[in-house]
Amino acid sequence: MKQRIIILFAFFFVCSLNAQRLEQSLDGDWKFRLDRDSIGWKSWYEGILDARIVRVPHTWNVEDGTERLFCLGWYEKTVDIPSAWKNKQIRLHFDAVYRDAVVYVNGKKAGQHIGSGYTPFSIDISKFLKYGSGNKIVVSVSNKISSYALPYQAKFDWPNDGGIIRPVKLIVTGKPSIRYAHLKPETDFKNFSATADLRIKVWEEDVKNADFTLTFAEYQTQKVLFTKQLKLKVDQGVFSTNIDFKDIKPWHFDSPNLYTMQVDVSVKGKITDTYHTRFGFRKIEIKGHQLFLNEEAVRLPGIEYMPGSYPAYGMAEPFEVMSQAVELMKDLNCVITRFHWQQDSRILDLMDEKGILVQEEIPWWQAPGNLSPEMEKLAKQHIDEMIERDFNRPSIFAWGVSNEVFYNTDKDIYRRLIAHARYWNTNALVTVVSNEIFDRLENDESLLGDIPTWNDYTGTWHGKSREETPDKLKLINERALKGRPLLITEHGLCEPRFVGADARRVVEMTYHYDQWAKNDYILGCIYFSLNDYRTHVGESGKGRYQQRVHGLTDLWFGKKPSFTVYKGLASPVYFEWVQQTFKGTEAEVSIAVKNDLPCYILRNYTLEWKTADGAMRKLLLPELKPGEKYKTTINNISPLEKPVVKVVRPTGYSVTEY
């Protein structure tokens, strides 16, 4: 087995040398030991005694007896470093460590990452390594409640899972090496062409000139579009240029077309690093009280998923759980979402690939009411690390700088954070999420962002009854919005804090959804949430099962009746009728496209029905605009069975079924 591992490693190393970048996963077995009394600082950085083996990504807060243990944990792994790497640039990259991480290599401190447990970080460990032998990597991790962290102290509503919760790897390159390559397209949707600003940053600050080779291709087909060679000089820390594209395919939630960019950097004719990224051609903008996607007005339904809730894995959830969650979101007809904290890059990859618009946020949730200069610096670090990694994602439609901070916060803090996010000059909007715009009205902090927002809990957390919603909406529109749009960023029923179970969830959901649909300035809604979710402040369950019962599914994604109800609300189309003719083998079908919420054009949708022999027949529907109807006759159906007919998206997801 050991010989096989060595052969495989040699194969991947040789292949990657040709590409001038090696990424070696360090996931899998690590030594681990908890440090309840914080005594490890004395010697454990040199190696852990009495350790056990765990699988990274890992959190101890889903293990028996340590579910509520907020303390230090120590991880150790020995990695062989070939002699051939001696003149390479070697970085240890963590997708996320929750929360305060200190990294040691061969007994020496190599770096740290404090106060931000959901963002990636890299440490150059080249000078700490012993080449041609084994190297001991030790990571101390603390999830102690902290006043210098976001989320702040215990003021957050999700699990406090400590550990190396996301993948970790070595990145081996030459010098110079690429830190990021950001592409910002400006798209002409009439001619299907684009001009993109390209900004490349290398890790080495002393590099002022370099040669770059850019290769662009379609992600789905891997068809190479063109290659471009450039000689660039650094300007204000980055290499920049413009790239022209023709015959592009836009990214849309119903046609999530993706492209790849390979960047080779070379000095004196020698390639030193090869960097890959994905991007798409997508435009998001606000005009008046409407949201425009690729220059078409839309109103969009959505759902929020709360990661880290599957009891077996917690915040160290594997790709299979993420994939299941995204499939459920697509099954619900949801095309927009948000996250309370920065997400695993793998689930955001799925959002890009499957077609779901995302608002990604930093975890400044409710507290502290104001940010000290040190905490504001940390918040900006959160923003930087989030945007630097996710800049190119076409799924990201907005960056959120706070959520429900309902204290008397200095508005200039919001202004500075918004300006800091905008400084990156992305193709996404910037928002502040509010839960009391109905009370603060024209003074609400969400008005400082690009889209006013509201976590609408009228009848539960706010007010005495859901029937107060129309009056609140009228007041918000007249006093706060004044011609601007509103995004409903949350709504739902939190059990057992509020009684009524799933039956009440359905009633509250349908009532509020109807109110939002009636008001055309509401550009979309994001229901909360897809799943019941683990949280250290949960009113239900104990240990790893401590939770808030807030979802359309349970912790294990078991669907509740409310799931089917929301799927119907979020569907862009419905059947007016399906009537069998007197022959019994044919049926007349009439479908209608909604013109409220949701509201968008249907392109390349299909009508599918079950034939008498059990096969499914397909009919490509014409382009259908909001408010339009379509009638047709389907044939070859069984006269002995009720017709089975459904509308299917171009991405293959069933929209609605008769």
Side-chain angles (χ1 to χ4, degrees):
M1 181 66 182
K2 184 176 181 181
Q3 183 180 8
R4 183 186 176 197
I5 292 173
I6 293 173
I7 292 172
L8 285 172
F9 176 79
F11 171 77
F12 286 120
F13 178 58
V14 170
C15 290
S16 62
L17 277 180
N18 294 330
Q20 300 306 317
R21 175 177 284 223
L22 165 69
E23 294 190 359
Q24 179 186 339
S25 172
L26 298 185
D27 293 352
D29 290 349
W30 285 63
K31 292 181 179 179
F32 173 74
R33 184 178 174 184
L34 280 173
D35 186 6
R36 300 168 187 252
D37 301 317
S38 299
I39 62 173
W41 300 112
K42 299 177 182 178
S43 63
W44 293 10
Y45 59 89
E46 297 178 334
I48 310 169
L49 300 176
D50 301 322
R52 61 186 175 92
I53 301 298
V54 298
R55 297 283 295 177
V56 167
H58 169 264
T59 174
W60 62 83
N61 293 111
V62 293
E63 298 176 346
D64 291 340
T66 59
E67 294 100 326
R68 296 284 297 179
L69 197 58
F70 306 152
C71 64
L72 277 173
W74 292 77
Y75 294 83
E76 177 190 322
K77 191 177 186 73
T78 298
V79 181
D80 290 333
I81 302 296
S83 299
W85 291 5
K86 191 167 186 179
N87 295 316
K88 297 287 184 180
Q89 193 84 292
I90 303 173
R91 288 186 174 81
L92 181 59
H93 178 86
F94 296 88
D95 280 1
V97 177
Y98 190 84
R99 186 197 55 241
D100 299 334
V102 182
V103 179
Y104 303 89
V105 178
N106 296 323
K108 296 182 179 179
K109 182 178 177 181
Q112 65 182 27
H113 191 250
I114 307 296
S116 182
Y118 304 118
T119 53
F121 63 98
S122 295
I123 298 173
D124 186 346
I125 61 172
S126 307
K127 65 182 179 182
F128 300 99
L129 295 173
K130 300 174 183 176
Y131 295 90
S133 64
N135 290 259
K136 189 175 294 184
I137 298 172
V138 175
V139 184
S140 75
V141 182
S142 173
N143 70 336
K144 294 179 181 179
I145 300 301
S146 173
S147 295
Y148 182 76
L150 291 174
Y152 178 75
Q153 294 183 351
K155 305 290 188 178
F156 56 100
D157 186 20
W158 52 88
N160 190 47
D161 288 351
I164 302 178
I165 60 170
R166 294 179 188 164
V168 54
K169 61 187 175 184
L170 289 178
I171 301 176
V172 185
T173 68
K175 304 175 185 178
S177 53
I178 298 172
R179 178 168 176 169
Y180 63 74
H182 290 163
L183 201 71
K184 183 190 177 187
E186 295 292 339
T187 305
D188 183 338
F189 292 96
K190 294 180 180 178
N191 298 318
F192 294 100
S193 62
T195 297
D197 293 332
L198 174 62
R199 285 166 277 175
I200 302 171
K201 187 175 182 65
V202 299
W203 284 99
E204 297 78 11
E205 295 182 359
D206 60 335
V207 175
K208 305 301 181 184
N209 300 275
D211 296 333
F212 295 93
T213 301
L214 313 175
T215 304
F216 297 92
E218 292 181 348
Y219 171 71
Q220 282 86 350
T221 66
Q222 298 185 11
K223 175 186 175 183
V224 175
L225 303 181
F226 62 90
T227 299
K228 192 176 184 70
Q229 294 182 330
L230 301 165
K231 291 181 178 291
L232 299 176
K233 294 182 179 180
V234 73
D235 181 20
Q236 296 182 340
V238 297
F239 297 90
S240 61
T241 188
N242 295 322
I243 308 294
D244 292 326
F245 297 88
K246 296 180 180 180
D247 300 321
I248 59 97
K249 300 174 184 177
W251 187 97
H252 185 279
F253 52 77
D254 274 337
S255 53
N257 298 299
L258 293 169
Y259 292 81
T260 61
M261 176 175 64
Q262 176 178 308
V263 183
D264 294 304
V265 59
S266 58
V267 175
K268 297 180 180 179
K270 181 180 179 181
I271 297 176
T272 59
D273 190 15
T274 298
Y275 178 92
H276 292 90
T277 187
R278 292 193 312 191
F279 66 98
F281 298 96
R282 188 270 298 138
K283 185 177 183 180
I284 285 283
E285 59 185 334
I286 301 293
K287 295 181 182 179
H289 67 268
Q290 291 182 298
L291 174 69
F292 284 77
L293 172 61
N294 298 343
E295 300 184 346
E296 293 178 352
V298 294
R299 298 181 66 196
L300 305 177
I303 191 89
E304 180 172 353
Y305 167 55
M306 290 293 280
S309 296
Y310 208 96
Y313 307 110
M315 284 291 188
E317 67 185 24
F319 177 78
E320 291 75 19
V321 173
M322 301 177 196
S323 181
Q324 190 175 354
V326 175
E327 290 298 313
L328 287 168
M329 296 169 77
K330 293 298 292 185
D331 184 27
L332 275 169
N333 288 310
C334 291
V335 297
I336 187 171
T337 191
R338 61 181 285 241
F339 290 106
H340 280 47
W341 63 92
Q342 304 95 332
Q343 291 303 297
D344 192 304
S345 61
R346 293 170 294 173
I347 196 169
L348 293 177
D349 285 345
L350 289 170
M351 301 292 174
D352 287 337
E353 294 164 11
K354 300 293 185 179
I356 299 178
L357 290 159
V358 178
Q359 174 169 299
E360 190 176 17
E361 303 168 15
I362 71 171
W364 181 20
W365 185 78
Q366 293 198 356
N370 274 295
L371 298 179
S372 66
E374 293 76 18
M375 288 296 290
E376 184 175 331
K377 181 180 179 181
L378 178 65
K380 291 177 179 177
Q381 175 189 322
H382 273 256
I383 292 170
D384 289 340
E385 291 173 345
M386 174 176 68
I387 296 180
E388 179 176 319
R389 185 194 67 175
D390 296 328
F391 185 104
N392 290 335
R393 295 188 181 278
S395 61
I396 301 289
F397 80 93
W399 313 106
V401 301
S402 72
N403 178 32
E404 292 188 357
V405 183
F406 46 75
Y407 302 96
N408 187 26
T409 308
D410 182 355
K411 290 273 185 20
D412 284 339
I413 295 175
Y414 293 120
R415 293 187 180 98
R416 289 194 294 269
L417 294 185
I418 290 169
H420 193 78
R422 286 175 175 162
Y423 180 78
W424 282 89
N425 193 25
T426 73
N427 265 334
L429 307 173
V430 183
T431 66
V432 177
V433 176
S434 168
N435 65 335
E436 292 186 345
I437 189 173
F438 65 89
D439 185 44
R440 290 194 288 269
L441 298 173
E442 60 267 25
N443 293 316
D444 191 71
E445 67 274 9
S446 78
L447 300 175
L448 300 172
D450 293 314
I451 308 176
T453 59
W454 185 26
N455 290 348
D456 177 7
Y457 287 107
T458 308
T460 52
W461 295 107
H462 298 121
K464 297 179 180 179
S465 169
R466 59 180 172 271
E467 279 77 18
E468 297 176 20
T469 306
D471 290 339
K472 280 184 166 57
L473 284 171
K474 186 174 184 293
L475 190 63
I476 291 169
N477 187 35
E478 293 176 354
R479 291 275 305 278
L481 302 180
K482 300 177 182 178
R484 297 181 67 185
L486 180 67
L487 174 61
I488 303 297
T489 35
E490 280 186 42
H491 169 73
L493 180 70
C494 180
E495 304 172 65
R497 177 62 175 81
F498 301 101
V499 299
D502 205 52
R504 183 181 176 186
R505 179 170 290 107
V506 170
V507 172
E508 296 284 350
M509 170 200 300
T510 53
Y511 178 85
H512 281 81
Y513 198 99
D514 182 56
Q515 299 305 316
W516 305 329
K518 290 177 181 177
N519 294 280
D520 64 0
Y521 59 85
I522 295 180
L523 56 82
C525 60
I526 302 173
Y527 192 81
F528 189 80
S529 62
L530 173 67
N531 53 327
D532 296 340
Y533 62 95
R534 293 178 58 245
T535 170
H536 73 109
V537 296
E539 299 93 344
S540 178
K542 295 181 179 180
R544 81 195 69 174
Y545 305 102
Q546 187 174 359
Q547 64 187 277
R548 279 187 157 168
V549 182
H550 223 304
L552 307 183
T553 74
D554 60 25
L555 295 176
W556 299 269
F557 298 139
K559 297 178 183 177
K560 304 175 187 178
S562 54
F563 185 97
T564 303
V565 175
Y566 195 72
K567 178 181 173 74
L569 292 172
S571 171
V573 62
Y574 61 91
F575 286 100
E576 285 194 308
W577 69 74
V578 177
Q579 297 176 342
Q580 284 178 273
T581 64
F582 68 94
K583 295 180 182 179
T585 59
E586 295 183 348
E588 294 180 351
V589 177
S590 178
I591 61 174
V593 182
K594 293 181 181 177
N595 193 26
D596 45 31
L597 182 61
C599 181
Y600 53 84
I601 298 172
L602 276 56
R603 293 188 177 90
N604 298 315
Y605 280 57
T606 57
L607 186 71
E608 302 184 5
W609 66 93
K610 184 179 179 182
T611 62
D613 59 1
M616 294 299 293
R617 183 168 293 183
K618 298 181 180 181
L619 171 68
L620 180 64
L621 296 173
E623 180 175 297
L624 296 171
K625 295 182 173 60
E628 291 186 341
K629 297 181 180 181
Y630 179 78
K631 298 177 182 179
T632 190
T633 299
I634 60 175
N635 53 31
N636 195 26
I637 62 175
S638 172
L640 304 177
E641 298 178 357
K642 184 178 179 180
V644 176
V645 193
K646 58 184 178 180
V647 177
V648 179
R649 292 182 187 273
T651 49
Y653 292 94
S654 176
V655 177
T656 187
E657 183 173 325
Y658 178 86

